[in-house]
């Protein structure tokens, strides 16, 4: 509530409009004000006109690389150094913009996120190379870590609960590397499970990364 929230909408490039529409509803329900500007040739002027002293955050209505590039270039020229970006899981795949995400104190949400600087991640990478004689493929998500996390979660469940593991999935807390896993049963005892795991990731200006599992 202490941020000046500015949504940036672009005609013809709003693949996240469903998300931003719901976010606006949530903000309004909580009594938190926000502003909306339209991306155009006057984007710089439009954003500058809506900045205020204190903390400003820009939320684009598209997750595309082109939009992130455009927003980053605009923030470079703003009349404020207190501007953050809030964006999308896809942003972590645009590695050419990682430095900019740190520079602009950015935040994303995602069910998958891998911090390559984490010691446990580096240890698994070394083990993988030792076993298979090559590095993991650079993909999103990284499938080697997806398999590692799935195996770690379900094998731990089997070890702890044996054949009763299915009815105890909601009790599981496993320190996965890339995947946010938090199963919730639907429709009572006879229903299946959905994974509502979610990370909130902060690209800090000191090049550090803060990853918080907000589903726990």
């Amino acid at each position: 509530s202490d941020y000046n929230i500015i949504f940036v909408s672009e005609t013809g490039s709003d693949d996240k409009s469903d998300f931003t529409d719901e976010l606006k509803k949530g903000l309004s329900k909580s009594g938190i004000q926000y502003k909306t500007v339209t991306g155009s040739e006057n984007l710089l002027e439009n954003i500058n006109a809506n900045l205020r002293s204190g903390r400003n955050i820009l939320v684009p209505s598209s997750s595309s690389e082109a939009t992130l590039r455009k927003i980053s270039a605009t923030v470079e020229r703003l009349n404020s150094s207190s501007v953050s970006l809030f964006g999308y899981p896809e942003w972590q795949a645009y590695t050419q913009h990682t430095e900019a995400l740190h520079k602009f104190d950015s935040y994303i949400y995602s069910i998958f996120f891998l911090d390559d600087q984490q010691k446990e991640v580096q240890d698994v990478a070394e083990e993988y190379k030792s076993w298979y004689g090559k590095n993991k493929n650079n993909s999103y998500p990284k499938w080697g870590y997806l398999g590692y996390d799935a195996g770690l979660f379900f094998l731990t469940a089997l070890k702890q609960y044996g054949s009763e593991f299915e009815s105890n999935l909601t009790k599981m807390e496993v320190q996965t590397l890339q995947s946010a896993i938090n199963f919730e049963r639907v429709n009572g005892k006879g229903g299946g499970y959905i994974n509502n795991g979610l990370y909130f990731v902060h690209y800090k200006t000191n090049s550090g990364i803060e990853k918080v599992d907000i589903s726990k």
Side-chain angles (χ1 to χ4, degrees), residues 23-175:
L23 182 54
K24 289 176 183 178
K25 290 178 184 177
L27 292 171
S28 297
K29 186 176 181 179
S30 300
I32 300 174
Q33 296 184 340
Y34 61 85
K35 303 166 185 175
T36 301
V37 301
T38 301
S40 65
E41 294 179 359
N42 299 317
L43 180 60
L44 177 64
E45 292 78 5
N46 290 343
I47 294 177
N48 265 326
N50 286 280
L51 294 178
R52 73 180 188 198
S53 59
R55 309 173 79 182
N56 300 277
I57 190 159
L58 304 181
V59 186
S61 62
S62 172
S63 62
S64 72
E65 188 275 333
T67 295
L68 178 57
R69 181 171 8 103
K70 182 177 181 180
I71 292 288
S72 298
T74 301
V75 175
E76 286 274 11
R77 302 167 59 199
L78 291 176
N79 298 330
S80 173
S81 59
S82 182
V83 177
S84 298
L85 301 180
F86 181 82
Y88 305 101
E90 292 85 347
W91 284 9
Q92 61 187 295
Y94 310 145
T95 54
Q96 68 272 35
H97 297 294
T98 300
E99 184 176 344
L101 292 178
H102 282 290
K103 183 176 182 179
F104 303 132
D105 194 39
S106 305
Y107 299 80
I108 68 169
Y109 65 89
S110 181
I111 191 173
F112 299 114
F113 188 85
L114 189 74
D115 182 359
D116 291 321
Q117 301 306 309
Q118 185 180 345
K119 182 181 183 302
E120 292 81 359
V121 171
Q122 295 175 348
D123 288 345
V124 171
E126 290 177 5
E127 285 289 323
Y128 184 95
K129 189 171 184 178
S130 175
W131 273 93
Y132 300 108
K134 62 179 180 179
N135 294 319
K136 288 185 175 65
N137 292 335
N138 189 22
S139 60
Y140 169 77
K142 292 189 176 180
W143 296 103
Y145 291 102
L146 185 63
Y148 176 88
D149 286 345
L152 183 66
F153 183 89
F154 287 105
L155 291 173
T156 301
L158 282 168
K159 178 182 178 182
Q160 292 183 1
Y161 299 107
S163 61
E164 299 297 319
F165 81 93
E166 181 181 347
S167 58
N168 290 282
L169 286 181
T170 58
K171 301 176 184 178
M172 293 294 301
E173 291 190 11
V174 177
Q175 296 300 312

